[in-house]
Amino acid sequence: MDSGLYKTITFVCFILIGALLKTKIKSKAELNGIKKIILNLALPATIFIALLGVEVEWDLLFLPIMALVLNILLFLATPIMLPLLGIARDTSEYRTARLLIPSLAPGLSCFPFVLEFLGENALAKVAMADLGNKVFVLIGLYIVAMNWHYRHRNVKKRKGSKLVSLSKVLVSEPVNLFIGAALILLALGFTMDTLPVLFGDILKKLSLIMTPLVLLFIGLGIKFKRKQFFQVFSMLSIRAGLVFILGGLFVASIGLNSLETILLLLAFGLSSCSFWPYAHISTVESLELEDDQKRTFDSDLALNILALSFPLSTVLILGVLNTGTLFVSPINIFLVGGILLGIGLIYPVVSGIAKKTSLQNVTNSKVKPNIPKPVEAQSS
């Protein structure tokens, strides 16, 4: 068994263990305790180490730009996709899906397989591309989430006042403090190797608990309903289909014929949804705890998207990396993209037909047939 597949099975097992632990960890307070450890310790340490480990290669600067463009295109596509799946605009579900769908988590679902199938040089390119994705999910989606929070709560503030409020939230979050500190140290030329050994060891050990805790938390938080399962599956299938279509357009437009680059492009775009938008959702929820109004986001839906995204992305990435020279031709990329879009549209089509049939049955049952009364025989 190759190491990439082995890691994936291990990750899936952590999610399953989390689901089994539901019988032992039932209260919301216990779940919130785990979430606070993730958001206030493990995630800040992980992103701090990741940022200080960045090696910017200026000749590959187009890679993070391409990744950022992909994020933005997926974000812009969601307002068209979600209403097709029965998710109404301006709802907590709609805002949650818009935040999760364009995010990517290549570290969990893409890096192990790229390393196994394509080697260290390919992994370095994907890691470079992930810089653009990090900018989008850490900064871009955070600003979007906070703006939606203000708009949903009808918080009417001047631009300057809103900027001050946003700055206060930014400063109060441990993740943002660690990001700021890492960027300052990076600008001054520091790396993890030049930091004090004790400080570095503490951060590395905190980072080690990140992946297991996140996967266990996802397993503990899964609350799939039948309708929502099919909605999320369709959502992720359409997302994958769009990645193939966009990848095919890029390959065809520039005449790309490097098999390794094409496979990297597709594998990176098919990465599972990131945990970071969930962190932003949790930040917004902490601001809404004492308010009885409807929440800006739906954290349960966010966890369900994360739970289904990981195994589905793994299957698709493994499929792409095992296809040999199939995707050298843009036609094959478009074909697979079309198939995935078709799979994603099965649920809304079937749901629409079922709803139409149900409405017709209700209408027919309300309309009473006009049967003429029998004419009584006249007495002779």
Side-chain angles (χ1 to χ4, degrees):
M1 185 184 294
D2 63 70
S3 62
L5 184 59
Y6 180 80
K7 286 180 182 178
T8 300
I9 293 173
T10 304
F11 293 159
V12 172
C13 286
F14 272 112
I15 295 176
L16 294 175
I17 291 170
L20 292 173
L21 280 174
K22 280 185 175 183
T23 56
K24 298 293 183 182
I25 302 175
K26 297 179 181 180
S27 72
K28 198 169 183 179
E30 290 173 321
L31 280 176
N32 283 335
I34 297 173
K35 183 168 72 174
K36 285 184 182 297
I37 292 173
I38 294 171
L39 297 179
N40 296 324
L41 288 175
L43 270 178
T46 301
I47 197 63
F48 186 89
I49 291 171
L51 288 174
L52 281 186
V54 167
E55 295 182 9
V56 178
E57 299 179 37
W58 297 106
D59 57 330
L60 296 178
L61 197 59
F62 71 96
L63 292 174
I65 295 172
M66 285 174 56
L68 185 58
V69 169
L70 175 62
N71 292 132
I72 294 170
L73 289 175
L74 289 175
F75 183 77
L76 295 176
T78 48
I80 303 170
M81 176 204 311
L82 298 176
L84 291 175
L85 301 174
I87 300 176
R89 293 175 183 269
D90 201 30
T91 60
S92 59
E93 293 83 5
Y94 177 84
R95 287 185 287 269
T96 300
R98 281 206 74 186
L99 217 62
L100 267 292
I101 291 301
S103 68
L104 301 172
L108 280 180
S109 53
C110 176
F111 285 6
F113 301 113
V114 168
L115 179 62
E116 184 66 28
F117 284 88
L118 302 176
E120 291 184 359
N121 289 335
L123 180 62
K125 291 179 182 178
V126 178
M128 187 68 185
D130 190 35
L131 286 178
N133 173 60
K134 276 189 170 66
V135 169
F136 181 78
V137 298
L138 292 175
I139 301 172
L141 290 183
Y142 181 85
I143 294 171
V144 168
M146 293 305 300
N147 278 327
W148 283 347
H149 162 67
Y150 289 133
R151 190 185 307 167
H152 178 64
R153 294 293 164 139
N154 293 320
V155 179
K156 295 181 180 179
K157 296 183 178 182
R158 295 178 181 177
K159 288 185 178 179
S161 177
K162 188 180 287 188
L163 188 61
V164 170
S165 297
L166 185 58
S167 300
K168 286 180 180 177
V169 177
L170 278 167
V171 172
S172 65
E173 288 298 313
V175 169
N176 299 324
L177 289 173
F178 272 73
I179 291 172
L183 291 175
I184 292 170
L185 290 173
L186 196 62
L188 294 174
F190 284 90
T191 65
M192 282 301 296
D193 295 330
T194 57
L195 290 178
V197 176
L198 178 62
F199 185 64
D201 283 346
I202 291 172
L203 288 174
K204 286 175 183 177
K205 285 180 169 54
L206 282 174
S207 179
L208 285 175
I209 67 173
M210 160 72 181
T211 300
L213 269 184
V214 166
L215 296 174
L216 287 170
F217 183 72
I218 290 171
L220 285 164
I222 293 174
K223 295 178 183 177
F224 268 124
K225 297 175 183 176
R226 184 179 175 184
K227 178 185 175 182
Q228 194 177 78
F229 175 86
F230 288 114
Q231 272 186 336
V232 172
F233 180 80
S234 297
M235 194 187 301
L236 295 173
S237 297
I238 293 174
R239 173 186 186 256
L242 288 174
V243 168
F244 273 96
I245 298 295
L246 293 171
L249 288 172
F250 179 77
V251 171
S253 62
I254 69 169
L256 185 64
N257 54 16
S258 168
L259 178 61
E260 180 184 282
T261 305
I262 293 171
L263 293 179
L264 284 177
L265 177 71
L266 295 175
F268 181 83
L270 292 169
S271 298
S272 61
C273 296
S274 173
F275 187 79
W276 281 103
Y278 181 82
H280 304 329
I281 289 170
S282 297
T283 299
V284 171
E285 283 190 337
S286 68
L287 300 173
E288 301 174 343
L289 280 177
E290 298 179 0
D291 201 329
D292 292 332
Q293 294 182 42
K294 191 174 181 181
R295 299 282 184 256
T296 306
F297 297 103
D298 184 343
S299 58
D300 289 339
L301 175 61
L303 283 176
N304 290 340
I305 292 174
L306 289 172
L308 193 54
S309 173
F310 178 70
L312 183 60
S313 291
T314 299
V315 170
L316 291 172
I317 291 171
L318 279 173
V320 165
L321 295 177
N322 278 292
T323 51
T325 59
L326 177 68
F327 292 121
V328 170
S329 170
I331 295 174
N332 293 331
I333 300 176
F334 287 129
L335 181 62
V336 174
I339 291 171
L340 286 167
L341 286 175
I343 292 172
L345 291 172
I346 289 174
Y347 167 75
V349 170
V350 172
S351 179
I353 293 171
K355 190 178 290 185
K356 189 175 180 180
T357 304
S358 177
L359 285 172
Q360 285 178 346
N361 291 336
V362 170
T363 303
N364 293 337
S365 65
K366 287 182 178 180
V367 178
K368 295 181 180 179
N370 188 15
I371 302 174
K373 294 181 180 179
V375 181
E376 294 180 1
Q378 295 182 353
S379 55
S380 54

